[in-house]
Amino acid sequence: MKEKSFDRKQELLDAALTEFMEYSYGEASLNNIIKNAGISKGTFYYHFEDKQALYLSLIQGAVDAKIEFLERRLQDDVPDDDMDLFETIKLQARFGIEFAIEKPKYYLLGMMFLKEKGNKIYDTVMTMLGGTTDSYYDSLIEKAMRRGDFREGLSAPYIKRMLTYLLFHYDEIFDVKREELDFDQMIANFNQMIDFIRHGLGADQSKAIEPAS
């Protein structure tokens, strides 16, 4: 019986998502993906040129799904223009964690991708995405500096390096396990981390850090 291309492609993407959220890009097996999808190699190559093309499609799909989710949430809970950088990050992180709870496989794929830093595939993905993360944080930090959110003497590049490193290593700081995607605890942990960052970078040093439960 002839395979239906549309149905087979979705099963292929599902199998690839499972493989790439379990293994690094280099370790992930294209043969396993094809086998678990229940398709032939011919069907795979009908849809994708190679493993990299499949991986890039999967990452782009995850990014698109997250953007769609965040846009939907932002319609319900619009950030205040006067909200400082730290509170803005908390709100956006809350939305991001909500997405992780709703789409845990995409979240785990993202965590595996972050471990690719230093590998060629990481640079390839970032080129595909157009460095949107860097430009986004540049804009946030510039606005925050004009508003006086940071204490004096800190440069924009230093602030950006500190913020992006801590935010991108959240899962390592709190040792997030795939079976522990608890919304309330993740929010509490993240808010504690942002309050810690505020204490070091922020202009207002009087705010106490409340420990996460």
Side-chain angles (χ1 to χ4, degrees), residues 3-30:
E3 294 174 326
K4 295 180 180 179
S5 296
F6 180 81
D7 293 340
R8 298 284 89 186
K9 184 175 182 180
Q10 188 55 56
E11 291 174 20
L12 171 58
L13 290 171
D14 290 342
L17 179 56
T18 298
E19 183 78 5
F20 285 119
M21 74 182 204
E22 293 280 354
Y23 302 100
S24 69
Y25 176 78
E27 294 170 337
S29 167
L30 183 55

Side-chain angles (χ1 to χ4, degrees), residues 32 59 61 74 81 85 91 114 132 134 141 182 192 207 212:
N32 282 346
I59 292 289
L74 283 169
D81 287 339
L85 176 72
L91 180 61
L114 291 179
T132 52
D134 283 345
I141 290 170
D182 177 83
Q192 181 184 24
K207 296 186 178 182

Side-chain angles (χ1 to χ4, degrees), residues 51-141:
K51 184 172 81 169
Q52 177 174 296
L54 172 61
Y55 185 73
L56 294 179
S57 177
L58 202 60
I59 292 289
Q60 186 66 67
V63 170
D64 291 344
K66 186 171 184 178
I67 290 173
E68 181 182 350
F69 179 89
L70 294 179
E71 288 178 346
R72 189 169 69 248
R73 284 296 287 112
L74 283 169
Q75 291 177 355
D76 300 329
D77 196 348
V78 181
D80 189 334
D81 287 339
D82 294 329
M83 187 180 292
D84 71 19
L85 176 72
F86 306 104
E87 294 304 313
T88 299
I89 291 175
K90 283 184 181 181
L91 180 61
Q92 293 173 345
R94 182 180 184 86
F95 295 160
I97 292 171
E98 286 179 6
F99 176 76
I101 300 300
E102 183 173 298
K103 303 286 186 180
K105 288 187 176 182
Y106 279 153
Y107 170 77
L108 294 170
L109 174 68
M111 292 299 99
M112 289 300 293
F113 167 68
L114 291 179
K115 295 178 182 179
E116 298 289 350
K117 194 165 187 179
N119 296 328
K120 182 179 179 180
I121 191 62
Y122 181 90
D123 296 332
T124 301
V125 169
M126 295 308 293
T127 298
M128 176 188 73
L129 297 178
T132 52
T133 300
D134 283 345
S135 60
Y136 174 74
Y137 278 111
D138 285 341
S139 176
L140 272 185
I141 290 170

